[in-house]
Amino acid sequence: MGEVALECRGLRKSFGGVHAVDGLDLSFESGTVTALVGPNGAGKTTLFHLICGALRCDNGDVLYRGRRINGLPPWATARLGIGRLFQDVRVFGSLTVLENLLVGFPDQEGEAPLVALLGRGRVSRREADHKVKALQWLGLVGLADRSSALAGSLSFGQQKLLAIARLLAGGADVLLLDEPTAGVHPTLVDRLLTVIRRLAGEGRTVILIEHNTSVVLGVADWVYFLDEGQVASFGLPAEVLADPSVRAAFAGLGGRRQ
Amino acid sequence: MNYIWHILVMISIYAVLAASLNLVAGYTGLLSLCHAAFYGIGAYATTLLMMQMGLGFFPAMALAVPLTALLSLLIAIPSLRLRGDYFVLATLGFQIIVFSLLYNCVRLTRGPYGIPGIPIPSLFGVPVDTVFKYFLFSTTISTGALAILWLLIRSPFGRLLRAVRDDEVAAAALGKNVPAVKTMAFALGAGLAAIPGAMFAGYMRYIDPTSFTVGETIFILSAVVIGGAGSFWGPLVGSAFLVALPEALRLIQIPDAVAANLRQVTYGLLLVVLMRIRPRGIMGEYEFK
């Protein structure tokens, strides 16, 4: 058992009368991949919003390495090391692939206008250093040859890989991946899963929302099955997915998704 | 010949105005409708510092820049939290407030009478007292201001601005403090607009509030949009084009009374046509959503 990186305690969030997240207790260990599965409206994406601070919880706590982080805005949780891949990807479309990664690096002095003007030598040395690292990350996700293309011109799957590389450049330690394989061409899915496994192997904590059972079985160490904002079951992927009620939920999804 | 130098002085003034608005509107994606207010604050601040405090042109301008940037925070801090259209309206409100302050604070600004007799700027003790000298003077200042903008745009700061423009949520998810970034861009754009304000006051040697109206804001914005928002050269081309256009119309022999109206019609038509055939402007990178 690894160290617990992220923990949710009694997390609640309601929208009007709807309890989107209704008392969730979850914990995620470093170096593991945890899949969150469940029908639409189970509260999976809302949970991500609560963890990264895009939404405030009504009740409960989010702990990152033992530190309470609820109430922090998204940029602050991101600086702590919580990275997020959005369902709709959100690359910077008018920036090049390389620039997308360069933005991702944390604590850039050159992002302060005065330093950008007065400390140009220092800034350009750091930039050169970042470029080398960025190209390595791009190599990892297989996009090194597209580094000068505009991000908006990439395919959806490539944009997902780019968004993941951008998170890695940012040094994210906990990765919240919202449907990383949805809408991605099958040839790219394998590359994506390899990357995800490798990240966990390096000690990062990967949490993914996924509807594809074979992806869950292939990549996840643990599975939480969420339903109506609560944990319906938790365990090893093969066990949880063998549960008839989980299978029923997936059968409904499978018909629509694939 | 003075006529040509005069046009070039005006182009050098508008080039910095449009380029500084481009930092805010083109690169950061904040459609601001109060740029003429900052231009006016810069002009009045420089003038008053010269005439009331006895400062020289450069010290006055050097103080007017941070002062204008600081005043821009009055509108930036409350309104940058607003989304899209509401931000645009808030800046329009600020533009109108600044105009009516310039118009009505008679004790400070002499209101509609304007301030005449602004001292001639001098450089190393040499007065800049002819149109040609002023052309050299203003081109040098605006080249300096544009160089600062160029360096900012090409730096990691400039890249961050474009990232925020493309997707604020994604930028925040990468640990970027988006409200702080926008505020900085806005204040920088405002501070840089004070420079052409000073150049204008020193050139005309008379200022009154009618030079800093909403109409003026629209004119500057047109230069940005026609030239191409989000490109460095776009606003320069746009301002050269818009300043020179009425002069070109002057060459066609039409009565003055007709020409003035025709100019307005031409601007309007030009904007409509250009937005139809080339929504990103002549050099453009970025299309307003």
Side-chain angles (χ1 to χ4, degrees):
Chain A
M1 295 284 272
E3 186 195 347
V4 173
L6 190 79
E7 203 178 348
C8 304
R9 287 190 193 152
L11 215 54
R12 271 174 222 282
K13 178 74 188 174
S14 310
F15 300 103
V18 182
H19 304 294
V21 166
D22 196 7
L24 284 183
D25 292 296
L26 310 162
S27 78
F28 306 96
E29 290 165 14
S30 303
T32 62
V33 178
T34 309
L36 303 175
V37 301
N40 284 335
K44 304 182 297 288
T45 301
T46 305
L47 174 65
F48 275 8
H49 285 315
L50 295 175
I51 292 174
C52 75
L55 287 174
R56 267 167 191 263
C57 55
D58 301 334
N59 247 317
D61 280 320
V62 181
L63 301 164
Y64 173 64
R65 302 210 174 274
R67 181 185 160 187
R68 229 176 121 241
I69 59 165
N70 30 333
L72 294 179
W75 61 266
T77 60
R79 283 186 190 183
L80 287 175
I82 296 177
R84 180 159 185 202
L85 174 75
F86 295 91
Q87 207 170 342
D88 50 353
V89 192
R90 294 182 176 268
V91 295
F92 304 118
S94 74
L95 272 60
T96 66
V97 168
L98 181 64
E99 283 178 320
N100 263 271
L101 256 74
L102 292 174
V103 172
F105 286 95
D107 307 322
Q108 297 191 49
E109 294 168 304
E111 285 179 355
L114 265 183
V115 182
L117 288 176
L118 303 176
R120 293 182 22 84
R122 204 160 29 137
V123 169
S124 64
R125 276 195 300 279
R126 268 198 90 181
E127 280 284 286
D129 181 38
H130 284 169
K131 264 179 204 161
V132 173
K133 286 187 189 149
L135 287 170
Q136 285 170 357
W137 290 120
L138 285 176
L140 178 73
V141 298
L143 284 174
D145 56 332
R146 302 300 307 274
S147 65
S148 57
L150 287 185
S153 72
L154 299 183
S155 76
F156 190 66
Q158 288 174 324
Q159 291 191 6
K160 284 208 166 172
L161 288 164
L162 170 58
I164 289 178
R166 193 173 65 180
L167 281 181
L168 299 177
D173 169 50
V174 172
L175 298 157
L176 308 175
L177 312 179
D178 199 343
E179 301 201 27
T181 65
V184 176
H185 193 272
T187 54
L188 287 180
V189 169
D190 284 341
R191 196 193 286 173
L192 233 158
L193 297 183
T194 316
V195 171
I196 290 174
R197 278 288 4 147
R198 185 166 158 182
L199 295 173
E202 288 170 359
R204 296 181 209 246
T205 312
V206 181
I207 306 169
L208 51 97
I209 293 174
E210 191 52 69
H211 287 299
N212 185 328
T213 36
S214 61
V215 169
V216 173
L217 285 168
V219 79
D221 299 301
W222 301 102
V223 175
Y224 279 101
F225 177 67
L226 304 184
D227 198 11
E228 299 191 341
Q230 296 179 328
V231 177
S233 65
F234 168 72
L236 297 170
E239 290 169 8
V240 174
L241 296 179
D243 182 328
S245 63
V246 176
R247 290 245 298 273
F250 264 96
L253 285 168
R256 194 175 52 77
R257 287 253 163 200
Q258 263 107 54
Chain B
M1 212 42 209
N2 270 354
Y3 172 63
I4 301 283
W5 302 132
H6 165 74
I7 292 169
L8 291 174
V9 169
M10 294 316 287
I11 290 176
S12 73
I13 290 173
Y14 279 101
V16 181
L17 277 174
S20 56
L21 178 58
N22 189 33
L23 184 75
V24 179
Y27 284 93
T28 321
L30 297 167
L31 188 52
S32 158
L33 289 184
C34 57
H35 214 60
F38 301 134
Y39 175 39
I41 292 170
Y44 270 90
T46 308
T47 302
L48 292 173
L49 285 167
M50 284 170 83
M51 296 180 73
Q52 310 270 338
M53 318 283 287
L55 293 182
F57 177 81
F58 283 103
M61 182 173 84
L63 281 174
V65 170
L67 185 76
T68 309
L70 223 73
L71 284 172
S72 79
L73 297 180
L74 286 178
I75 180 68
I77 289 169
S79 64
L80 280 171
R81 296 173 183 282
L82 303 175
R83 291 208 163 256
D85 303 347
Y86 298 100
F87 171 78
V88 177
L89 282 177
T91 56
L92 181 62
F94 184 75
Q95 166 68 49
I96 291 163
I97 290 168
V98 169
F99 175 78
S100 62
L101 285 176
L102 294 179
Y103 204 81
N104 293 299
C105 289
V106 179
R107 281 207 181 155
L108 190 65
T109 67
R110 291 175 36 95
Y113 301 111
I115 305 178
I118 298 171
I120 297 173
S122 62
L123 187 61
F124 305 120
V126 181
V128 187
D129 52 4
T130 67
V131 182
F132 176 67
K133 281 189 200 164
Y134 209 91
F135 155 71
L136 295 177
F137 182 73
S138 70
T139 322
T140 311
I141 297 175
S142 65
T143 307
L146 292 172
I148 291 175
L149 273 163
W150 168 263
L151 293 177
L152 283 175
I153 284 161
R154 310 268 299 184
S155 74
F157 173 68
R159 183 174 62 215
L160 178 59
L161 297 186
R162 288 183 291 134
V164 165
R165 174 192 75 193
D166 277 10
D167 196 326
E168 288 182 26
V169 176
L174 292 173
K176 311 300 175 188
N177 186 342
V178 173
V181 172
K182 285 180 171 178
T183 307
M184 237 171 337
F186 193 78
L188 273 171
L192 285 165
I195 295 174
M199 287 155 70
F200 179 76
Y203 181 58
M204 290 298 174
R205 305 187 50 217
Y206 166 80
I207 51 171
D208 75 66
T210 57
S211 301
F212 313 108
T213 57
V214 180
E216 188 69 9
T217 284
I218 303 287
F219 183 82
I220 303 166
L221 187 63
S222 304
V224 175
V225 173
I226 287 174
S231 104
F232 179 78
W233 299 105
L236 312 190
V237 172
S239 34
F241 187 68
L242 281 189
V243 172
L245 181 75
E247 311 302 334
L249 290 178
R250 193 167 295 175
L251 296 178
I252 316 166
Q253 299 289 325
I254 31 176
D256 274 359
V258 182
N261 294 318
L262 196 64
R263 196 178 303 165
Q264 297 297 327
V265 174
T266 320
Y267 284 150
L269 264 179
L270 196 76
L271 263 175
V272 172
V273 170
L274 206 76
M275 290 306 100
R276 281 295 299 182
I277 59 169
R278 204 171 156 74
R280 294 178 177 207
I282 299 170
M283 316 281 286
E285 297 268 329
Y286 170 64
E287 190 176 330
F288 285 101
K289 287 174 207 122

